[in-house]
Amino acid sequence: MAAPVDLELKKAFTELQAKVIDTQQKVKLADIQIEQLSKTKKHAHLTDTEVMTLVDETRMFILQSKGVIHNQLLEKQRIAEEKIRELEQKKSYLERSVKEAEDNIREMLMARRAQ
């Protein structure tokens, strides 16, 4: 009876290890994407701040009106915020799923020790 349980535990550990590695890679990718989106959002904010300080008649360096540029930059910031929120949710889901898998294996170990 011990051999089937050991094989079952070994299989569970192997699956957990693969899941942890996969999840770690996905979390790192999400972190990189969040960092990039944060930079994009900050760049848009700083650009918007500088453009809004220009006099309304200034057309030297900009091809569109301040209002149009302002709206475009606000939209860019909003989209970056949404994507960051989505990535944070995805990241927390991945971390929870790994924790659940670890808990399941702990339960299997406890059940085996109880036998």
Side-chain angles (χ1 to χ4, degrees):
M1 178 84 181
V5 174
D6 289 342
L7 289 175
E8 185 179 331
L9 283 173
K10 185 175 181 178
K11 181 180 176 188
F13 278 120
T14 305
E15 289 173 1
L16 175 64
Q17 185 178 19
K19 186 172 187 169
V20 166
I21 291 170
D22 183 50
T23 301
Q24 286 174 340
Q25 290 173 345
K26 288 179 181 177
V27 167
K28 284 180 186 177
L29 178 62
D31 284 337
I32 291 168
Q33 289 173 331
I34 288 170
E35 183 179 336
Q36 183 62 38
L37 287 167
S38 295
K39 287 179 183 179
T40 299
K41 181 181 161 190
K42 184 175 183 177
H43 182 267
H45 175 71
L46 292 172
T47 303
D48 185 42
T49 302
E50 290 301 315
V51 167
M52 294 312 289
T53 62
L54 297 174
V55 180
D56 284 338
E57 290 79 37
T58 303
R59 301 272 303 178
M60 281 195 273
F61 301 108
I62 57 175
L63 299 174
Q64 299 172 323
S65 70
K66 282 176 29 176
V68 171
I69 293 173
H70 176 70
N71 288 337
Q72 289 173 344
L73 292 170
L74 287 178
E75 180 67 12
K76 193 173 189 178
Q77 291 176 55
R78 186 188 63 74
I79 289 170
E81 286 173 7
E82 283 180 15
K83 289 181 180 179
I84 288 171
R85 260 194 308 276
E86 289 171 8
L87 287 168
E88 291 288 351
Q89 289 174 348
K90 179 182 175 183
K91 208 171 112 175
S92 69
Y93 168 77
L94 290 169
E95 290 167 348
R96 270 195 321 269
S97 68
V98 167
K99 175 123 177 57
E100 287 173 4
E102 289 172 349
D103 291 343
N104 290 340
I105 289 179
R106 280 190 194 99
E107 287 176 18
M108 287 174 63
L109 285 172
M110 297 301 278
R112 182 164 187 271
R113 287 180 185 157
Q115 290 177 352

